[in-house]
Amino acid sequence: METSAWRYQPEFILTTHINGQPAGERIEVVSPETTSDLLDRHAFICRSQGGRLTAFALQLLGDTGWDSVYPLSMPLGFTFWLKTKTAEIPAATALPDVDFGNPVFYANNLSASGDIDAGLSGNQLELFPGSGSPAEKTAALCNHLPSAKIPPATYTMVRAGKIRAGMPLEYPFSESLLPTQRMAALDLRLNPGGAYMVQLQGSGPVNRRVVVDETALAAGVHTIVDIYRDAWRAPSPPIEYSINFIT
């Protein structure tokens, strides 16, 4: 009788901190339904406790060692929500001048050119450092019709591009703006949700990240984190992605 050996191996860990110390029960890491479905389809299981989430990937023992059950032919993106259980962590605030939705904190493991884990040091990557401008840490959470009030005769076009792993930003969605317009809006209803970069051209330009996610909008999440994978980490130690809130 032929038998097979299998195991679940840690692939990545998401940890949360407040002022450099483990957040513990003060932050809850949540896998929304779409992420849970994606994890299930790729034989992942996740365990979350005390502001810390560990994702385990299923491996089978082959002739040359342990192999992942699902080889990656294209990058995967896993979205997680952070919900706070303490008032000591402030909520994100809207950026000045242009606001496309509800402000939330946002982080991912992509470089500006779309490279995955570009800043990895050993097996650790800080996604949310204490320094940096608010624009680097926040996004506007919205539905598929992001819009913002604008001063007239300031911008000539609004355009958007999906933030993707492995490729630089492109802006295939655009709308011209008349000098009299006081609202800049885009219709993304025929496109997938997730993180986009929206740019106002004219006097500026102004760049704003938006996250199209009506479920997260209704749930009132505090922070959205996107983790992208294009290669399995195991059997090397799992990557630890850390987020540190400074109060």
Side-chain angles (χ1 to χ4, degrees), residues 96-98 100 135 150 154-159 171 177 197-208:
D97 303 328
V98 179
F100 281 94
I150 57 172
T154 304
Y155 303 107
T156 58
M157 177 181 292
V158 58
R159 61 179 190 166
Y171 295 90
L177 299 173
M197 185 67 77
V198 175
Q199 184 181 82
L200 287 165
Q201 292 187 319
S203 177
V206 171
N207 295 291
R208 293 288 187 267

Side-chain angles (χ1 to χ4, degrees), residues 120-204:
L120 189 65
S121 177
N123 68 321
Q124 296 189 342
L125 181 61
E126 190 175 13
L127 299 184
F128 202 85
S131 60
S133 69
E136 295 174 329
K137 298 182 178 183
T138 59
L141 184 59
C142 61
N143 57 25
H144 280 77
L145 297 166
S147 62
K149 294 180 180 179
I150 57 172
T154 304
Y155 303 107
T156 58
M157 177 181 292
V158 58
R159 61 179 190 166
K162 190 82 167 61
I163 296 175
R164 301 181 185 274
M167 59 185 67
L169 271 171
E170 298 178 347
Y171 295 90
F173 317 111
S174 63
E175 292 289 342
S176 298
L177 299 173
L178 298 174
T180 55
Q181 281 188 242
R182 296 177 178 269
M183 185 72 69
L186 289 166
D187 187 343
L188 302 176
R189 285 177 293 183
L190 298 181
N191 300 284
Y196 288 77
M197 185 67 77
V198 175
Q199 184 181 82
L200 287 165
Q201 292 187 319
S203 177

Side-chain angles (χ1 to χ4, degrees), residues 6 26 32 59 117 149 169 171 178 209 242:
W6 57 272
R26 293 174 291 178
Q59 294 183 324
D117 297 334
K149 294 180 180 179
L169 271 171
Y171 295 90
L178 298 174
R209 284 189 304 195
S242 64

